[in-house]
Amino acid sequence: MELRNLITFIHVAELGSFTRAAEQLGYSQSTISFQIKQLEDELDCLLFERINHTITLTERGHELVSYAHRVRALTEDFKESLTKEDECKGHIHVVTPDSVCEDMIYSRYIDFHSKYPNISIKFTTADTAVMFDMLDHNEADAIITLDSHSYRKDYVIAKEELLSMHFVASSKSKFAGKKNLKMRDIISEPFVLTEYGQGYRRVFDKELAKKSLEITPVLEIGRTDIITYIIAKSDMISFLPDFVTREMIESGELCYLDVCDMEFDIWKQLIYHKNKWMSKSLRTVIEYITEHDFAN
């Protein structure tokens, strides 16, 4: 059994497409078809059902996915063992919400690069649903979510924490220092929020709907650094994680509003797929994020 055929099988299974697998691997589609046919002939079983230009894994195909990942992991582990013990290099793709990406790059990236100069990182921002789809198709090595708590049997939660969230406004706001505010007290104020349907904004809107309330923000934008800048210089309000607003709260530019009738459980979770091969570089990135970006 040729390893390259197993690798091709993994890509086709993850992407659900011979064409997309060919594009990702740099092969022609006929080569992909030939390699899968070789594998099916060798194993004497059908791995994919092909109906009307769509493919789905057969029962035997599902069984092979797990074995194929293990074979690839063992092969990569052996290759890695041949490199110098102190050498840690590779390219890692991490997908996060905008606010996490900004925070990690501003506060951690230079330190990370100084420690591990041979690891390159690609940061992509996306909504939670897109993140999990990217994990399923091996288009991301790890994701960080800011959303309601997620648990699925196909994923490993490397680290998680319950986030503290607040309504925030300028320290000069008419609501600054007021106690026991109700959501109805501020619902008609101008709000600046992250994009509709994404991450903690989706959880926020869902909780509002439970109270038959709705906010139409005057501005929607993913950049939380822009949101905090605008809030500090206006009479607008936002709803943000504390790690985004902490410095401006401490400097006195922003204040937390004491809204007492809204409760939110927003979780920060670092997740990777259970079938993902844990290279030395990926382990290093996950351990670094776990130590530095989940520290209370």
Side-chain angles (χ1 to χ4, degrees), residues 60-209:
R60 290 298 186 192
H62 279 290
E63 291 176 10
L64 182 60
V65 168
S66 178
Y67 287 104
H69 276 290
R70 276 184 268 171
V71 170
R72 181 171 68 172
L74 288 169
T75 303
E76 296 296 341
D77 281 342
F78 177 71
K79 287 181 181 178
E80 196 170 75
S81 71
L82 299 177
T83 63
K84 293 179 182 178
E85 218 173 278
D86 60 346
E87 187 177 4
C88 188
K89 62 180 181 180
H91 180 74
I92 304 301
H93 185 191
V94 180
V95 188
T96 75
D98 286 281
S99 54
V100 172
C101 183
E102 293 162 15
D103 184 62
M104 291 175 71
I105 289 175
Y106 283 130
S107 63
R108 304 294 181 193
Y109 178 70
I110 293 175
D111 176 66
F112 178 86
H113 177 70
S114 68
K115 290 181 170 67
Y116 309 103
N118 294 318
I119 298 179
S120 62
I121 300 179
K122 175 183 178 181
F123 281 107
T124 303
T125 60
D127 179 45
T128 306
V130 175
M131 291 186 201
F132 282 113
D133 185 64
M134 294 176 77
L135 281 186
D136 289 340
H137 293 94
N138 199 28
E139 295 172 353
D141 296 306
I143 63 174
I144 300 176
T145 64
L146 297 184
D147 210 316
S148 53
H149 192 272
S150 294
Y151 173 76
R152 308 182 199 181
K153 63 179 181 178
D154 290 334
Y155 308 124
V156 176
I157 300 173
K159 190 75 174 181
E160 64 182 11
E161 65 180 358
L162 185 62
L163 288 184
S164 181
M165 307 278 299
H166 281 92
F167 291 93
V168 291
S170 165
S171 56
K172 298 177 182 178
S173 168
K174 62 185 178 182
F175 298 107
K178 289 192 176 181
K179 299 296 182 182
N180 300 318
L181 290 169
K182 299 292 194 296
M183 193 64 220
R184 292 187 182 277
D185 296 331
I186 62 172
I187 193 72
S188 60
E189 299 298 317
F191 270 79
V192 182
L193 298 173
T194 52
E195 295 101 318
Y196 177 78
Q198 296 198 13
Y200 56 81
R201 168 70 192 279
R202 179 182 56 79
V203 178
F204 174 63
D205 287 336
K206 185 177 178 180
E207 291 302 313
L208 283 179

Side-chain angles (χ1 to χ4, degrees), residues 203 207 211 259-265:
V203 178
E207 291 302 313
K211 295 181 176 293
V259 180
C260 61
D261 64 340
M262 296 291 290
E263 293 185 5
F264 305 90
D265 282 342

Side-chain angles (χ1 to χ4, degrees), residues 15-81:
L15 297 171
S17 166
F18 281 36
T19 302
R20 291 181 67 191
E23 291 171 354
Q24 194 169 95
L25 292 168
Y27 295 154
S28 66
Q29 189 169 337
S30 60
T31 299
I32 297 292
S33 299
F34 177 74
Q35 289 177 343
I36 296 300
K37 185 65 167 58
Q38 271 191 324
L39 196 55
E40 290 179 326
D41 289 344
E42 189 172 0
L43 296 173
D44 193 27
C45 67
L46 191 67
L47 299 173
F48 294 99
E49 289 184 324
R50 302 157 175 85
I51 302 174
N52 294 330
H53 304 293
T54 63
I55 62 168
T56 54
L57 283 166
T58 63
E59 184 176 347
R60 290 298 186 192
H62 279 290
E63 291 176 10
L64 182 60
V65 168
S66 178
Y67 287 104
H69 276 290
R70 276 184 268 171
V71 170
R72 181 171 68 172
L74 288 169
T75 303
E76 296 296 341
D77 281 342
F78 177 71
K79 287 181 181 178
E80 196 170 75
S81 71

